[in-house]
Amino acid sequence: MTSASSQPAIEVDGVTKTFGKVEALRGVNLRVEPGIVFGLLGPNGAGKTTLVKILATLQAPSSGIARVAGLDVVRQAGEVRSKIGLAGQFAAVDDQLTGLENLEMVGQLYHLPGSVAKSRARTLIEQFGLEDAADRRAKTYSGGMRRRLDLAAAIVNQPEVLFLDEPTTGLDPRSRIDLWAVIDELAKSGTTVLLTTQYLEEADRLAAKIAVVDHGLVIAEGTAVELKERVGGRVLAIHLPDADQIEPARVILDEYGATPYVDVAAREVSVAVGAEPGIVAEIIRALDAGHVTVADLQFRQPSLDDVFLALTGRASEEVDAELEGARR
Amino acid sequence: MNLRWTLHDSFIMTRRNMLRYIRLPENLVSITVQPIMFLLLFTYVLGGAIRVTTPDYITYLLPGILVQTVVFGAFATALGLAQDAQTGLFERFRSLPIARSAVITGRLTADVMANIFVATLMIGVGFLIGFRFGGSPLESIASPGIAILFALPVAGLFAAIGLTARSVESVNVIGFVAIFPITFISSAFVPVESMPGWLQPVADANPFTRAVNASRALALGQDTGGDVTATLIWTVVLLAIAIPLGVRAYNRPR
Ligand SMILES: Nc1ncnc2c1ncn2[C@@H]1O[C@H](COP(=O)(O)OP(=O)(O)OP(=O)(O)O)[C@@H](O)[C@H]1O
Ligand SMILES: [Mg+2]
């Protein structure tokens, strides 16, 4: 018998989901400890939203078991709903109601007593910096304000587990940073947050643990640091003046790190390189000796694609084929 | 989920939808200006040309146009639900610990309220242009009452359409294609006997004709000749079809 505190906030065992011929999830396993921000990182179509919908009881898995706060999302869906909050990929607010009315309505639907629903709505409006717009209809809100209102609605009932599906997509950098602060606060107060994102930077900034999802499978799991280590620190991207130079450049870069990634259209070859001093100068000398002319050179943080590359040796679109092969 | 919370949830949803009625100008127009406009246009433009059994056309027309208006109210039901589905609000509602039925019952209740308002308004305007009830006070209430009752299963069917349709626009198309023939091939505006012979059986079999005849007979204080019973049976039958369809459409994962 496990005690309540050591019980995972989210447990996913072999969950699959198919829509007709599309296999959105192909056997996902996850364990999220309580009180942390957990990032689900993956490109378009990876299956992030599908997993969130299953965990939030909106869809049933085709097979497998999922538990939230120790409750089965299919058989105990009603109980799960009273313990979770959801802010879906698209802000779900009633345009014709004011900010306050929206939050009050959600509070009442959580069966809070009328006066409690009212005061909770007030508190949240202040917490999310919407005081000036509290009595304005949501249709007059900017994208960022809607997002904040949506997030406020998701936490009206002080949920044990909060699901945020791409909470910052479409926000300007300023609003994004504000929202990050709010999510930090929530996690500090003990809420388990599962958020999906397409940005490594965001997962890095917020999440204590990250699972990388692609084509319906978790292909890696760990802290941001661990994932980046697998990329190997930073990424060196080299732009070439013409396409003939791509192949020689690729051969040279192959000596210095993981498999280089070639983007023919952009005439770019990139490779994850370690943190050894002098490595960049060494690579440039090698390119020069190999008569490769470099038009431009960038040294950057690993992107989501770089993570995929390091994890799989392939760009994300190719992972599918590889995994398919491995399963046969 | 006990009954008290089920009622509570659907009350909250009803209130939300009623607020939307008041705040959305197009909703307000569809339950005020539009029905009155139809009433006046039919009375004064077409009224003179249509031969009816009642002393004047307004007495004949009002119950018919009333049933048509409240049945048209089903559009609001379908459109409202389709909009909610599209804006992602459904996802929020479905993630809340509320009665599964509340989203639909809240919508239907608000639409019944709107219909009561519309009926009152139309009868009021009708009075100004010469309409009078010919029966007892009870029959006078039952006349719009049966119209509003009959509109309920139609709204239920439209709710299923609204929940299934791909877009708000397609709701409009499906709705108009379905509802115009149904309301016009009936006794609402002209006597069935004035239609071509091949069309008369269609109009006669139309449940809408039964509802109009029932409402009209009650308004005039005449013998309802089984039309009230027929309307009630149709209401029950259509509800029995609409409820499972609606529930299935609502629970369908999207
Ligand atoms: N209701 C549905 N019917 C059919 N296919 C679906 C449905 N929902 C999702 N899919 C498919 O399942 C796959 C995973 O979709 P999902 O929305 O979970 O991805 P995602 O990771 O959230 O992507 P994004 O970053 O674009 O939001 C996609 O191929 C998508 O087309
Ligand atoms: Mg998504």
Side-chain angles (χ1 to χ4, degrees):
Chain A
M1 204 67 209
T2 51
S3 74
S5 63
S6 69
Q7 168 190 294
I10 302 170
E11 278 178 276
V12 180
D13 276 317
V15 163
T16 69
K17 180 75 187 178
T18 49
F19 298 101
K21 283 199 194 103
V22 182
E23 292 182 84
L25 298 176
R26 305 192 294 178
V28 171
N29 300 302
L30 273 186
R31 212 146 297 259
V32 178
E33 48 195 280
I36 68 162
V37 177
F38 190 95
L40 215 53
L41 182 66
N44 288 137
K48 305 181 296 292
T49 299
T50 305
L51 185 58
V52 166
K53 283 187 178 174
I54 288 172
L55 293 173
T57 78
L58 301 182
Q59 287 178 353
S62 302
S63 70
I65 292 177
R67 281 202 189 78
V68 171
L71 301 161
D72 188 298
V73 296
V74 177
R75 282 181 293 119
Q76 294 163 297
E79 285 122 298
V80 171
R81 288 185 196 122
S82 59
K83 296 198 184 261
I84 60 167
L86 167 70
Q89 191 164 353
F90 306 99
V93 297
D94 191 327
D95 276 343
Q96 297 305 321
L97 301 188
T98 67
L100 258 182
E101 285 170 344
N102 263 290
L103 296 180
E104 225 184 296
M105 174 181 74
V106 173
Q108 287 166 334
L109 290 173
Y110 271 115
H111 300 165
L112 301 178
S115 60
V116 178
K118 232 187 192 78
S119 66
R120 181 82 184 130
R122 263 278 156 232
T123 312
L124 284 168
I125 286 282
E126 282 162 22
Q127 189 183 335
F128 283 80
L130 292 167
E131 296 98 321
D132 295 341
D135 296 313
R136 250 171 43 204
R137 289 190 215 174
K139 69 169 180 188
T140 68
Y141 283 24
S142 72
M145 293 163 78
R146 286 173 72 88
R147 258 292 169 203
R148 273 182 280 160
L149 182 61
D150 188 49
L151 192 54
I155 62 168
V156 163
N157 199 34
Q158 293 167 307
E160 260 179 65
V161 182
L162 177 61
F163 298 104
L164 305 175
D165 196 0
E166 300 196 23
T168 64
T169 300
L171 294 191
D172 62 26
R174 178 65 220 273
S175 313
R176 175 169 299 181
I177 290 166
D178 286 349
L179 206 63
W180 285 352
V182 172
I183 295 169
D184 272 340
E185 280 296 307
L186 284 169
K188 277 209 198 85
S189 71
T191 307
T192 308
V193 181
L194 182 132
L195 71 88
T196 78
T197 177
Q198 301 189 29
Y199 311 110
L200 182 63
E201 185 204 1
E202 182 162 287
D204 193 4
R205 162 73 179 67
L206 289 172
K209 273 246 179 91
I210 298 169
V212 182
V213 192
D214 190 37
H215 292 98
L217 285 171
V218 174
I219 59 170
E221 218 183 319
T223 63
V225 173
E226 285 164 0
L227 290 176
K228 278 194 195 162
E229 269 166 8
R230 294 173 72 169
V231 179
R234 300 192 130 203
V235 171
L236 182 69
I238 288 168
H239 289 267
L240 301 157
D242 58 69
D244 298 351
Q245 307 250 318
I246 291 177
E247 188 48 28
R250 193 193 65 78
V251 172
I252 293 166
L253 287 182
D254 205 10
E255 309 275 313
Y256 290 92
T259 321
Y261 176 61
V262 179
D263 184 341
V264 178
R267 291 201 302 276
E268 184 191 270
V269 182
S270 56
V271 68
V273 294
E276 311 88 299
I279 182 124
V280 176
E282 205 179 303
I283 292 174
I284 292 171
R285 274 196 300 272
L287 287 167
D288 204 32
H291 305 288
V292 174
T293 324
V294 174
D296 190 14
L297 178 147
Q298 264 182 324
F299 208 38
R300 54 174 160 81
Q301 288 287 332
S303 68
L304 181 52
D305 250 338
D306 301 324
V307 173
F308 275 113
L309 186 63
L311 289 171
T312 63
R314 284 167 204 281
S316 53
E317 313 84 65
E318 295 165 54
V319 171
D320 189 38
E322 189 186 81
L323 290 169
E324 279 292 278
R327 284 153 62 92
R328 283 201 190 106
Chain B
M1 189 60 59
N2 62 40
L3 183 64
R4 179 175 160 234
W5 287 125
T6 304
L7 289 175
H8 165 93
D9 297 342
S10 93
F11 170 73
I12 302 291
M13 287 303 197
T14 304
R15 202 179 52 188
R16 158 185 181 252
N17 287 315
M18 288 175 73
L19 276 175
R20 289 177 66 87
Y21 260 115
I22 298 163
R23 291 182 184 175
L24 270 172
E26 58 267 35
N27 283 353
L28 211 55
V29 168
S30 77
I31 61 169
T32 53
V33 179
Q34 200 175 295
I36 293 173
M37 194 182 74
F38 269 117
L39 182 65
L40 298 178
L41 285 177
F42 268 94
T43 309
Y44 292 115
V45 179
L46 304 177
I50 299 172
R51 304 246 154 270
V52 292
T53 46
T54 51
D56 50 10
Y57 186 56
I58 180 70
T59 316
Y60 182 87
L61 173 71
L62 191 93
I65 207 162
L66 188 78
V67 182
Q68 194 221 20
T69 304
V70 293
V71 165
F72 258 70
F75 261 110
T77 311
L79 288 173
L81 288 169
Q83 274 162 8
D84 286 353
Q86 223 167 41
T87 53
L89 260 174
F90 260 28
E91 242 157 54
R92 160 134 300 134
F93 292 148
R94 293 177 59 205
S95 79
L96 295 175
I98 59 173
R100 289 301 241 188
S101 57
V103 172
I104 297 176
T105 53
R107 178 79 243 175
L108 289 173
T109 313
D111 295 334
V112 168
M113 299 294 188
N115 276 343
I116 292 174
F117 169 80
V118 169
T120 313
L121 185 72
M122 289 183 83
I123 292 168
V125 173
F127 250 79
L128 296 179
I129 58 173
F131 172 78
R132 292 293 178 271
F133 282 113
S136 67
L138 196 66
E139 285 169 322
S140 308
I141 291 175
S143 166
I146 201 152
I148 291 164
L149 186 74
F150 177 74
L152 192 62
V154 181
L157 288 172
F158 268 67
I161 294 175
L163 289 166
T164 315
R166 279 181 205 288
S167 67
V168 173
E169 294 70 32
S170 60
V171 169
N172 255 322
V173 174
I174 299 168
F176 273 105
V177 169
I179 217 155
F180 263 103
I182 291 174
T183 54
F184 273 83
I185 306 174
S186 78
S187 61
F189 308 105
V190 297
V192 171
E193 301 75 56
S194 70
M195 295 177 191
W198 57 270
L199 198 56
Q200 290 187 16
V202 181
D204 244 341
N206 187 353
F208 191 83
T209 297
R210 299 275 80 75
V212 169
N213 287 352
S215 180
R216 184 174 287 140
L218 288 165
L220 297 171
Q222 291 170 349
D223 175 23
T224 59
D227 281 326
V228 170
T229 317
T231 307
L232 293 179
I233 291 171
W234 269 113
T235 302
V236 172
V237 168
L238 292 175
L239 267 181
I241 298 169
I243 290 172
L245 280 181
V247 169
R248 221 182 55 186
Y250 178 64
N251 285 326
R252 178 180 64 101
R254 63 198 79 227

